[in-house]
Amino acid sequence: MTKLKDFDVIVIGSGAGGAPVAATLAQAGLRVLILEKGPYYSLADFTHDEITICRRDFFVPFPVDDPHTIRKNGAEQVFPTTEGWTSCCVGGATVHMTGFWYWPHAEDFKLATLIGGVAGANLADWPISYAEIEPYLYKAEVLIGVSGQAGINPFDTRKRPYPLPALRPHPSAALIDRAAKEIGMHAFPTARAVLSQAYGTRPACNQCGYCGDYGCENASKSSMLATLIPAAEATHNCEVRANSPVTRIIIGNDRRVSGVEYRDHKGNTHKVSAKIVVLAASAIESARLLLLSACKAFPQGVANTSGLVGKNLTFSTFGKGTAIFSRQDFIKTVGEHNYDLPFLQRSVQDDYWASDGRLGFIKGGTYNFILPHPNPINAALRLTMDRDFKLYGEAYKQQVLKYFKEQTWLEFEIFNEFLPTDQTYIDLDPNVKDRTGMPVARIQMTHHPLDLEVNRRMLKRGIDILAAVTPKAQEFNSPHIASTTYHLQHGTCRFGNDAKTSVLNADCRAHDIDNLYVTDGSFMPTSLGVPTTPTIIANSFRVGDKILARRNEVKY
């Protein structure tokens, strides 16, 4: 079959930012081409083989082939890394996401106004309101399938129930509920983009526990691969070309995008044209592609007359705390029924907005209570890493045995604001190239001090919840602060109303080029206090409608 060379729309990337806009446009009758760097996996490709899936290049390329480089906290030397990659496959990072489904809060859209500025941070209000994104959050939930229980979280403003009831929680969830209430906080069931019941042609979750870092062999996780990519293809207006990394955005003599250049799996170069190009390759890779596409019309990089492409990169400030309990004591308290369920399913948002100064900053984030991932290799490795590799030999064997047979670990993750600064951005590495000879993305990353202070205080408050659990914990692991550089990334093409201080307009269309859109996390001026995938999906639907509203202007 001869491949088409001309389309109405080319979408670069097939994950949270790419699939919704592609499905919207294809269902409206536009001819859409999705170009995806990675392979098109099937359900048969998804196994629980930890070595193949997590410790090879199944989702993320080896640094020797396609590295990023990174420099942290002002260090002089940069290092090749896999950090900053999300997932290179059809469906993007939604294929191996855990599926936690949180909405942004209204305050997130006007931080600069509410806070009045922060020294050393480039805060900016969003050019749209919470009310504009809310309908698309509901739309996303219905179209992909989200499980949850409304009306429990006192800080949630949603007005409708979830499409599906919440997933069954581990019995210890009741202990988190009581502990949080005891110290004046409010635990609620965590919503998940995972099916608690059959939905359409997809079956309910089989409770294997291998959501995060793995593809779902059951199609019960509501990834773009399982939901919106098939919906787009079913229209017969959308073609997906996998193993097709885009190498250049082509600018015509009229300073508009005329198409793109990409390589196929054999290394051959192809050009395809379109009336509109939508870039959704991830905040880091989208900015990299714009910079790589520098040309006579845009010598600093495509859509970069502001000089802000790649700037204001944010991740999500992340922390984790752990309490270790006696499995026997827990079973005596909650019983054995359902004790092997893999999901704790509890969250707390009392510290999302902390106007009393308890966090050292007004903007906090979300506590997500979980059970450890069932990965056996990672679990065994963590047991000695947590002790600075001083645990080995017979003592190490006994600890591994206790972990799997005698203990129950309860953990929490924290997602709080990663403030945008001049010190965190991406550019093109002048010295390091990928296997095809193209400069790689160089990540410069430095936390604003407030990020770390808020995280430290939230870690303490999360431990307070675990300490209030009865029966009491035998041990607490030292909480640690990190950043989710592999998944949640934003800001490199932030949107706004002023072309001098933003790359995109409120519709996520480039100020410089009226037929170029960016719909991954690049558009976000702030990083929120929740995992941002639902917001990116909802915004991609919104941009799809904005593109359709211009049909007469663009003359499809």
Side-chain angles (χ1 to χ4, degrees), residues 111-112 115-123 361 419-420 448 450:
L111 275 187
I115 295 173
V118 176
N122 300 326
L123 278 183
F361 184 53
L419 292 171
H448 191 285
L450 277 176

Side-chain angles (χ1 to χ4, degrees), residues 169-184:
H170 189 272
S172 59
L175 305 182
I176 296 293
D177 291 343
R178 288 201 289 268
K181 184 176 181 180
E182 181 179 317
I183 64 173

Side-chain angles (χ1 to χ4, degrees), residues 18-58:
V21 68
T24 298
L25 300 179
Q27 288 166 347
L30 276 63
R31 296 171 303 156
V32 178
L33 171 65
I34 298 177
L35 292 171
E36 168 57 51
K37 174 184 173 71
Y40 201 142
Y41 289 129
S42 68
L43 297 186
D45 294 310
F46 299 138
T47 70
H48 295 172
D49 182 342
E50 185 178 353
I51 293 176
T52 297
I53 305 298
C54 300
R55 299 180 179 273
R56 296 290 184 265
D57 61 343
F58 190 84

Side-chain angles (χ1 to χ4, degrees), residues 100-105 108 153 155 185-186 188-191 316-320 346-353 359 363-369 412-417 454-455 458-459 461-462 465 527-532:
F100 300 126
W101 190 268
Y102 299 98
W103 283 20
H105 290 204
D108 289 316
N153 178 10
F155 307 99
M185 301 175 84
H186 305 80
F188 61 90
T190 306
S316 177
T317 308
F318 179 80
K320 177 176 282 189
R346 284 300 182 269
S347 298
V348 171
Q349 289 192 324
D350 290 75
D351 288 339
Y352 202 92
W353 194 251
L359 300 179
K363 176 61 189 299
T366 300
Y367 303 89
N368 175 33
F369 287 85
F412 64 90
E413 299 172 332
I414 292 169
F415 300 91
N416 69 278
E417 198 77 39
V454 171
N455 206 264
M458 289 187 69
L459 282 169
R461 285 171 63 77
I465 296 176
S527 66
L528 314 182
V530 290
T532 50

Side-chain angles (χ1 to χ4, degrees), residues 272-316:
V272 284
S273 61
K275 298 180 178 68
I276 283 179
V277 169
V278 179
L279 185 50
S282 81
I284 289 173
E285 284 298 301
S286 288
R288 177 194 177 208
L289 182 56
L290 292 172
L291 296 174
L292 285 172
S293 302
C295 58
K296 184 177 180 181
F298 297 102
Q300 297 183 80
V302 167
N304 194 29
T305 57
S306 67
L308 292 174
V309 170
K311 309 300 184 184
N312 297 305
L313 171 65
T314 64
F315 299 102
S316 177

Side-chain angles (χ1 to χ4, degrees), residues 195-314:
L195 304 184
S196 59
Q197 299 176 353
Y199 199 66
T201 60
R202 297 159 53 216
C205 172
N206 63 8
Q207 300 282 336
C208 72
Y210 283 80
C211 286
D213 299 330
Y214 288 79
C216 180
E217 74 279 9
N218 207 39
S220 302
K221 181 162 58 178
S222 298
S223 69
M224 301 299 98
L225 177 65
T227 59
L228 298 182
I229 293 295
E233 291 183 307
T235 66
H236 302 290
N237 294 320
C238 179
E239 179 185 346
V240 178
R241 296 183 190 173
N243 297 303
S244 300
V246 175
T247 56
R248 185 166 65 99
I249 295 172
I250 303 170
I251 301 298
N253 294 330
D254 57 358
R255 293 174 59 91
R256 302 175 80 245
V257 175
S258 61
V260 304
E261 185 176 275
Y262 75 94
R263 289 190 309 273
D264 64 21
H265 67 287
K266 296 180 180 179
N268 299 316
T269 298
H270 303 269
K271 292 181 180 180
V272 284
S273 61
K275 298 180 178 68
I276 283 179
V277 169
V278 179
L279 185 50
S282 81
I284 289 173
E285 284 298 301
S286 288
R288 177 194 177 208
L289 182 56
L290 292 172
L291 296 174
L292 285 172
S293 302
C295 58
K296 184 177 180 181
F298 297 102
Q300 297 183 80
V302 167
N304 194 29
T305 57
S306 67
L308 292 174
V309 170
K311 309 300 184 184
N312 297 305
L313 171 65
T314 64

